[in-house]
Amino acid sequence: MQLANRLVYLLGSSNRKPDEFRGFTQFTASISSLKVAWRKDSKLDQAIENDKKWKHCARVVKEVLNEPGQVIPLHYLEKRRERLRLPVKIKTFLYLNPGLFDTYMDRVRPKSDPVTFIRASDRLRQFLEEESRIYVKNENFLVSKLCKLLMMSKDNVVSADKLVQVKREFGFPNDFLVNLVPKYPEYFNLIGEPGEGKSFLQLVTWNPEFAKSVIELRAEEESRLTGIRTRPAFNWKLPPGFFIRKEVREWIRDWMELPYISPYNDASHLDQSSREMEKRTVGVFHELLSLSIYKRVPIDILGKFSDEYRFSNAFSNVFTRHSGIFYMSLKCGIKTAMLREAYKDSELIDLDPLLEIKDKFLELLAEGHKQKAERLRLQREMVQKDMKMMAVSNNGLDYHKYEEELLDEEEDAELSTLTSS
C-alpha cells in the first residue's frame, strides 16, 4: 500500500484514507472517456519564454546562411519577417543583436541603385566553426540518438524528410544525412533521395546497448546504488494545487501498477485502445522528449511521426491525461509537450551535451552587446568633450590650457583604474 499512499498524496487527495481505494483494480473506464482539464504551469511556460530571443536569432542566421553566397538584401529579409516569426523590423533586430551580421552597400542588379546587404560577421563565422567542432566531439552521441529514434519506430524505418524537419529538436547538424549517416553503414541505410518525399532511413544493425530507455537506465542505477531491485516506473511531479477528479485518479493509480513497457519492445501485438498500449505510448513520448535537446517538442512535430511510432489520432490527449509526467504548454500560440521531471522551475536539470552550441551562441551575442556598449560610451565621451570645448571657446578661455587640463584628467582617471585593479 506504500505506492497507493504515495499516489494519493501526489494526486492531491492526501486527506483520503487508503482503504477507500481498495478494490480499485476492477476499475475499467475506457481511455477515451478520461478527460483531464488543462492547467497552466507558469514556471514551465517561462522555460520556453527564456529561449525565445536566441531562437529568433538562430532563425535569422539560418535564413541568411541558406542564401546564395550567404548574403541577402536587407529589404528582402524584411519581407520574410512574418515567416520568421520576428516581432521587430530587421533594422531593429540588427540594432538589438550587434555582432551577428555586417552590412554593406551593393546592387541587386548591375544597373540598379545600391541597397543595404547583410552577411555573417567574422565572429559569427568563428562560432560556426566552433559549432562544427562540437558536433564532431559528440558524434558518437548523435549516432546513438539517431539509432534510438529508428529502434523505437515500426519496422525500424523513419522518413528521412521527417527527420530533417526535427533535426533542431534533437540536435542533429544540418548535413547529418549527407555527412553523418554515410560514415556509419553498419547502422544506417538511406533509401531514396531526401527532399523528394519518398526517402527513408533504415536501421541496419540492432545495438542492445542503445535499446534501454531513460527510465530503464534510471532503475538500473537505483538498483546498483541501493542493492535493492527497482522496477522501471514513471515519475510523477504534479505542481502544487493541481486537482484531478476521483475517477481519473483511480484509473491512473491502476494504470501505474501495470508493468512498464519499453519503447524499444515490439508493440505490434498490443490493441491500440488498451491500457497496455497507453503504457507503451507514454513510454515512447517520455523517451522522445528525453532524447530532445530541451526535453520538449511541439506537438504538431510529434504528430508527423504517428505512423512510425503507432500514435493514435487523439495522441495529444496523453499529455493532459498524464499531467504528472508531461505538461502541454500553450506558450507563443504553439502546443508544446514538455517532460516535467526534466525541469526544476524553469531550468533544465540534466543538460544535453549539444546545448554547448547554444552556450557558445549566447557568448557571441553577449560579446556583441559588450562591444556595442563600449562604442556608445566612447561616443558619449566624445560628445561631452566637444560640448566642453565649445563652452570654453564661447567663454573666451585659453583652448590650449583647457586641453592640457583634459589630458591631465584622463591620465589621473587611467592611473586610478590601474591602481584599483
Side-chain angles (χ1 to χ4, degrees):
M1 293 304 296
Q2 291 180 349
L3 177 60
N5 291 335
R6 179 169 174 266
L7 274 176
V8 170
Y9 172 78
L10 287 174
L11 295 173
S13 294
S14 56
N15 60 329
R16 295 177 65 91
K17 298 178 181 179
D19 289 345
E20 294 180 57
F21 286 95
R22 286 179 180 169
F24 78 92
T25 52
Q26 302 302 316
F27 186 79
T28 57
S30 67
I31 294 173
S32 60
S33 67
L34 294 170
K35 305 295 182 182
V36 179
W38 177 84
R39 188 183 182 92
K40 180 182 177 66
D41 189 324
S42 57
K43 292 180 179 179
L44 290 182
D45 283 342
Q46 186 60 43
I48 296 177
E49 182 69 25
N50 292 343
D51 290 331
K52 190 165 65 174
K53 179 181 177 181
W54 94 267
K55 285 190 172 182
H56 285 156
C57 294
R59 282 197 291 268
V60 176
V61 168
K62 176 187 174 184
E63 192 73 17
V64 174
L65 295 181
N66 284 343
E67 286 294 305
Q70 298 186 332
V71 300
I72 185 173
L74 188 146
H75 67 278
Y76 282 12
L77 194 58
E78 178 65 33
K79 292 179 180 179
R80 305 177 190 179
R81 185 161 62 89
E82 185 176 349
R83 177 169 61 81
L84 293 171
R85 302 195 299 277
L86 205 62
V88 297
K89 292 184 177 182
I90 295 298
K91 285 184 178 181
T92 306
F93 171 84
L94 296 177
Y95 177 79
L96 294 174
N97 300 282
L100 284 179
F101 301 104
D102 293 332
T103 59
Y104 66 100
M105 302 300 291
D106 201 353
R107 291 179 171 84
V108 177
R109 291 179 295 276
K111 294 183 179 180
S112 63
D113 294 332
V115 296
T116 303
F117 277 72
I118 66 173
R119 63 188 171 200
S121 66
D122 290 340
R123 288 206 304 276
L124 178 54
R125 295 199 177 279
Q126 290 172 5
F127 159 76
L128 294 173
E129 293 175 1
E130 182 66 23
E131 180 185 48
S132 298
R133 287 193 289 270
I134 294 171
Y135 278 129
V136 170
K137 182 175 69 174
N138 291 283
E139 187 166 289
N140 290 336
F141 176 65
L142 287 167
V143 169
S144 68
K145 186 180 287 195
L146 189 54
C147 283
K148 284 173 174 285
L149 291 178
L150 297 177
M151 292 166 73
M152 283 188 287
S153 67
K154 182 173 60 178
D155 302 323
N156 306 137
V157 175
V158 176
S159 164
D161 294 316
K162 291 180 182 180
L163 288 172
V164 170
Q165 293 174 29
V166 300
K167 62 188 176 187
R168 299 199 180 281
E169 275 70 27
F170 292 96
F172 299 126
N174 292 331
D175 58 358
F176 77 100
L177 286 178
V178 177
N179 290 331
L180 181 66
V181 166
K183 289 174 64 176
Y184 295 89
E186 68 273 26
Y187 284 129
F188 309 118
N189 178 33
L190 183 60
I191 304 169
E193 292 294 329
E196 297 180 359
K198 294 183 179 180
S199 60
F200 301 89
L201 191 63
Q202 181 183 43
L203 184 75
V204 175
T205 304
W206 183 277
N207 188 335
E209 293 182 4
F210 298 158
K212 290 184 179 180
S213 68
V214 168
I215 287 179
E216 290 171 307
L217 292 173
R218 185 170 62 204
E220 288 182 2
E221 179 65 11
E222 189 173 339
S223 298
R224 186 185 66 80
L225 293 174
T226 63
I228 302 173
R229 185 176 179 276
T230 304
R231 73 171 191 170
F234 298 107
N235 281 343
W236 274 77
K237 188 182 178 183
L238 287 171
F242 198 95
F243 176 78
I244 297 180
R245 300 193 324 270
K246 173 186 173 181
E247 59 268 27
V248 179
R249 288 199 307 270
E250 293 179 351
W251 186 92
I252 290 174
R253 185 164 171 261
D254 191 10
W255 181 86
M256 287 283 284
E257 289 290 345
L258 293 173
Y260 172 77
I261 300 176
S262 172
Y264 299 103
N265 290 350
D266 180 25
S268 58
H269 63 287
L270 296 178
D271 187 303
Q272 190 69 38
S273 61
S274 66
R275 293 181 303 164
E276 289 77 14
M277 190 61 178
E278 175 98 346
K279 193 91 173 186
R280 194 258 179 186
T281 299
V282 171
V284 171
F285 281 130
H286 187 286
E287 188 73 356
L288 286 174
L289 295 180
S290 297
L291 291 173
S292 68
I293 287 188
Y294 297 100
K295 317 308 176 191
R296 63 177 189 255
V297 179
I299 288 177
D300 65 334
I301 289 180
L302 290 172
K304 295 178 184 294
F305 296 89
S306 294
D307 291 338
E308 286 85 349
Y309 295 116
R310 298 186 176 93
F311 299 152
S312 69
N313 293 333
F315 76 91
S316 61
N317 291 334
V318 166
F319 302 115
T320 51
R321 186 158 54 244
H322 298 278
S323 50
I325 302 173
F326 308 113
Y327 171 61
M328 184 173 70
S329 173
L330 306 180
K331 193 69 178 176
C332 303
I334 299 173
K335 292 182 178 180
T336 302
M338 305 181 70
L339 192 59
R340 282 195 183 276
E341 68 184 36
Y343 288 85
K344 182 178 181 181
D345 295 334
S346 62
E347 299 295 328
L348 280 168
I349 298 173
D350 296 320
L351 302 182
D352 190 289
L354 294 167
L355 278 175
E356 185 181 353
I357 293 173
K358 174 190 172 183
D359 293 339
K360 295 294 182 182
F361 193 84
L362 292 178
E363 289 176 10
L364 166 65
L365 294 177
E367 182 63 24
H369 284 291
K370 181 180 178 181
Q371 293 191 5
K372 174 186 173 183
E374 180 64 17
R375 287 196 304 269
L376 291 175
R377 185 186 67 81
L378 292 174
Q379 289 173 4
R380 283 195 298 268
E381 289 181 354
M382 290 296 295
V383 169
Q384 291 172 357
K385 184 179 292 187
D386 289 343
M387 291 177 66
K388 287 183 179 180
M389 292 174 65
M390 289 175 62
V392 169
S393 176
N394 291 337
N395 291 329
L397 299 179
D398 183 58
Y399 169 78
H400 294 291
K401 182 179 179 180
Y402 180 69
E403 187 179 39
E404 290 175 1
E405 291 176 354
L406 282 177
L407 290 174
D408 290 339
E409 289 178 5
E410 290 176 356
E411 289 176 359
D412 290 342
E414 183 176 358
L415 181 60
S416 176
T417 302
L418 291 173
T419 304
S420 62
S421 62

